[in-house]
Amino acid sequence: MIVLGILCLIIMVFILLNYRYKNSFYYQNLVEFENRPVRKIYWSDKIKMVNLGSVHARFAFQYFKNEGVSLARAPQSLYYDIQLLENYSKHIPRDTIVVAFFPIFLFALKNYTSLNQIAKYYYELPKDRIEKYSLLKYIIAVKYPILYAGKKAIYSIVNRKIDSEWSYQKCVVSEERLKKIAQEHCDVWKKQFQLENLTDADTTHLIPCFEYNRKLLERLVDKCKAQGWKLVFVTGPMARQMNEMFSEKFLQNFYYSNFQDIAEKNNVLHLDYRLDDTFQDDNNLFWNGVDWLSETGRRVFMEKLENDLYKNGYWEGDQP
């Protein structure tokens, strides 16, 4: 009886801690950061645009006039871009603009595999759209997320208020600090993708990933054609300090060569804001200083994007 009593107590404490964790400021901010829907997405008749993408797109798109839906999740691979788009296709009418937002390292990644990166899809997608779906992973991800929280489980006990990254307005730091932030980002990417540098590194080992994502991109193009959607490829803005980390030769081989020919062959518009003058030296447009847009940055970016879509005949109705 004593053992049973102790076991019941442990279970009760676990359930309480899990409940507190799911209601903590940290966990709620994580949900917002990921852009995980907390309720059913509202698909109105006014929607003109749907965007895909990963973290950069998560912080680039905000539909201030409720004329679009963001399917960007943080982080997200091209595989799940397509899974989400296909999952919601019945809600997306013909002539909707579909923006495929390509971060620099998108084509070097096949997919995310750790539960903390894919848990969000267990809330949103049917199991046949989740790679290597597992009932155990579903139970952990949806019912008991404290089991994959690691050290963050402490927030089930210490629930201090944490500001959401979505609300961050600007980055007021020195030029030296901005360069360090850009370098830190690049160091992570070099380690993740096994690159010696970002100027002339050998990328032969990434060719299977490039080929895998090019096939997915062809699938995306075919899906948009079949549905009558207007597909647009977008390269997002980056600050000067981040752009200086790359050589143009590297970017051509590593990034642009993976989709430019597909765009040309299928007459897909490509809008490139990477070197846009507006974003080069105004770091207040990025809440992290170099590539994740603040609310002000989102307003500037969305205005530019919508006007460019209008000029190219994609945006119907009055000029935004």
Side-chain angles (χ1 to χ4, degrees), residues 151-205:
K151 294 180 180 179
K152 302 299 183 182
I154 189 64
Y155 289 109
S156 64
I157 301 172
V158 183
N159 185 22
R160 63 184 180 86
K161 184 173 175 58
I162 304 172
D163 290 334
S164 166
E165 292 94 340
W166 184 247
S167 65
Y168 288 179
Q169 293 298 316
K170 56 185 178 181
C171 183
V172 184
V173 295
S174 65
E175 172 76 10
E176 182 180 355
R177 178 56 185 153
L178 288 170
K179 289 182 177 180
K180 187 175 181 180
I181 292 171
Q183 186 63 61
E184 288 170 351
H185 278 55
C186 292
D187 288 343
V188 170
W189 291 327
K190 284 189 291 184
K191 182 178 180 180
Q192 181 179 358
F193 300 108
Q194 300 176 337
L195 297 166
E196 291 184 6
N197 56 62
L198 302 179
T199 54
D200 60 359
D202 180 17
T203 58
T204 306
H205 62 290

Side-chain angles (χ1 to χ4, degrees), residues 49-307:
M49 180 160 55
V50 172
N51 71 271
L52 312 173
S54 188
V55 185
H56 295 80
R58 166 71 184 110
F59 289 103
F61 288 84
Q62 186 171 357
Y63 296 98
F64 298 95
K65 299 178 183 178
N66 297 320
E67 293 182 316
V69 170
S70 178
L71 295 181
R73 304 289 181 261
Q76 184 155 283
S77 62
L78 186 56
Y79 171 84
Y80 280 109
D81 275 342
I82 293 172
Q83 295 304 319
L84 285 172
L85 185 67
E86 291 181 347
N87 185 60
Y88 291 116
S89 61
K90 65 181 181 181
H91 301 288
I92 306 172
R94 292 182 65 86
D95 294 323
T96 298
I97 301 166
V98 174
V99 176
F101 191 100
F102 299 152
I104 298 299
F105 290 89
L106 176 70
F107 299 100
L109 173 75
K110 275 195 174 181
N111 222 335
Y112 293 102
T113 56
S114 65
L115 186 57
N116 66 341
Q117 293 167 323
I118 64 171
K120 52 187 174 287
Y121 301 117
Y122 281 85
Y123 285 82
E124 188 171 9
L125 290 173
K127 62 183 181 180
D128 61 324
R129 292 196 176 277
I130 298 176
E131 190 175 57
K132 298 180 180 178
Y133 174 88
S134 158
L135 178 59
L136 178 60
K137 288 181 180 180
Y138 169 82
I139 293 172
I140 295 173
V142 178
K143 303 297 184 182
Y144 304 106
I146 197 172
L147 289 175
Y148 70 89
K151 294 180 180 179
K152 302 299 183 182
I154 189 64
Y155 289 109
S156 64
I157 301 172
V158 183
N159 185 22
R160 63 184 180 86
K161 184 173 175 58
I162 304 172
D163 290 334
S164 166
E165 292 94 340
W166 184 247
S167 65
Y168 288 179
Q169 293 298 316
K170 56 185 178 181
C171 183
V172 184
V173 295
S174 65
E175 172 76 10
E176 182 180 355
R177 178 56 185 153
L178 288 170
K179 289 182 177 180
K180 187 175 181 180
I181 292 171
Q183 186 63 61
E184 288 170 351
H185 278 55
C186 292
D187 288 343
V188 170
W189 291 327
K190 284 189 291 184
K191 182 178 180 180
Q192 181 179 358
F193 300 108
Q194 300 176 337
L195 297 166
E196 291 184 6
N197 56 62
L198 302 179
T199 54
D200 60 359
D202 180 17
T203 58
T204 306
H205 62 290
L206 293 171
I207 289 177
C209 292
F210 294 158
E211 292 176 345
Y212 170 82
N213 281 299
R214 282 176 60 84
K215 289 179 181 178
L216 287 177
L217 200 53
E218 294 279 11
R219 175 176 165 182
L220 175 62
V221 170
D222 291 343
K223 178 65 176 180
C224 289
K225 286 182 178 178
Q227 296 290 137
W229 300 328
K230 296 179 284 191
L231 179 62
V232 179
F233 295 162
V234 170
T235 301
M238 296 194 303
R240 170 178 52 80
Q241 293 84 1
M242 182 62 84
N243 278 312
E244 289 174 349
M245 296 288 117
F246 305 92
S247 73
E248 292 301 317
K249 178 181 178 182
F250 173 83
L251 288 175
Q252 184 58 44
N253 293 333
F254 183 84
Y255 177 69
Y256 291 107
S257 64
N258 285 301
F259 67 86
Q260 281 183 330
D261 60 325
I262 295 175
E264 292 173 3
K265 181 176 69 175
N266 294 282
N267 196 31
V268 176
L269 176 66
H270 173 221
L271 297 174
D272 192 346
Y273 298 97
R274 183 175 64 85
L275 297 172
D276 189 292
D277 290 341
T278 304
F279 299 94
Q280 295 310 293
D281 286 293
D282 188 350
N283 301 104
N284 288 333
L285 299 180
F286 303 92
W287 69 259
N288 71 343
V290 291
D291 58 352
W292 291 359
L293 292 169
S294 63
E295 181 177 342
T296 301
R298 290 193 288 275
R299 288 185 181 276
V300 173
F301 171 73
M302 291 299 294
E303 182 178 354
K304 278 181 170 287
L305 175 63
E306 290 172 3
N307 276 306

